[in-house]
């Protein structure tokens, strides 16, 4: 872990460790996905790693939300449903935001932890090349 890393409350230690190890050497802020409608923390996730986009669907209430700036690229995306090798499609979801020296977001990494067997993985990541970026922290 980098001395300046931040892990928001609600991210499992396993997923936080994995996301940190998958990133570059920049400090990161890791933020959990929480359903705005019901407060749920288990999601089915659609991803397109080529376009750099992800959408989460709450397993509890079905509410949908784009991750970070994904909505801007969704029309051109060809998303597929994330799946664990065990067959499960329900995940704890968190995003690692790699930060530049000025605190702006430079990279978005979507990590998932299978609710059935605990396997973790990076399912999509993309570069951010604009500013300001503070709004992205609330779009997980």
């Amino acid at each position: 872990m980098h001395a300046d890393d931040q892990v928001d409350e609600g991210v499992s230690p396993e997923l936080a460790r994995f996301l940190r190890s998958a990133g570059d050497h920049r400090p990161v802020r890791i933020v959990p996905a929480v359903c705005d409608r019901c407060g749920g923390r288990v999601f089915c996730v659609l991803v397109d790693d080529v376009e750099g986009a992800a959408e989460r669907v709450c397993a509890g209430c079905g509410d949908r939300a784009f991750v970070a700036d994904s909505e801007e690229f969704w029309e051109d995306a060809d998303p597929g449903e994330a799946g664990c090798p065990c067959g499960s499609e329900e995940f704890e979801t968190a995003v690692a935001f790699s930060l530049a020296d000025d605190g702006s977001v430079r990279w978005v990494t979507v990590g998932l932890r299978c609710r059935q067997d605990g396997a973790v993985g990076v399912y999509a990541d993309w570069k951010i090349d604009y500013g300001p970026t503070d709004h992205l922290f609330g779009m997980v």
Side-chain angles (χ1 to χ4, degrees), residues 87-111:
S88 177
E89 296 177 341
E90 293 188 344
F91 300 93
E92 169 194 357
T93 305
V95 175
F97 295 100
S98 293
L99 306 175
D101 291 339
D102 65 0
S104 62
V105 175
R106 289 292 145 236
W107 205 262
V108 174
T109 303
V110 179

Side-chain angles (χ1 to χ4, degrees), residues 56-139:
R56 61 176 171 78
V57 181
C58 179
C61 72
D63 193 44
R64 304 175 83 92
F66 289 105
V67 175
D69 60 356
S70 295
E71 186 172 14
E72 296 176 35
F73 307 100
W74 203 250
E75 186 175 307
D76 296 324
D78 183 21
E81 191 161 1
C84 179
C86 78
S88 177
E89 296 177 341
E90 293 188 344
F91 300 93
E92 169 194 357
T93 305
V95 175
F97 295 100
S98 293
L99 306 175
D101 291 339
D102 65 0
S104 62
V105 175
R106 289 292 145 236
W107 205 262
V108 174
T109 303
V110 179
L112 305 179
R113 180 174 176 264
C114 179
R115 298 297 296 165
Q116 186 168 317
D117 70 2
V120 294
V122 169
Y123 282 75
D125 60 350
W126 60 91
K127 185 175 175 60
I128 302 295
D129 58 3
Y130 60 84
T133 60
D134 287 346
H135 68 287
L136 297 174
F137 298 124
M139 300 172 73

Side-chain angles (χ1 to χ4, degrees), residues 20-50:
R20 184 59 199 126
S21 69
D24 56 20
H25 298 291
R26 296 175 191 249
V28 296
R29 178 172 175 194
I30 302 173
V31 179
V34 179
C35 179
D36 290 335
R37 183 187 298 165
C38 74
R41 293 179 177 261
V42 177
F43 300 93
C44 296
V45 182
L46 300 167
V47 294
D48 181 336
D49 196 30
V50 174

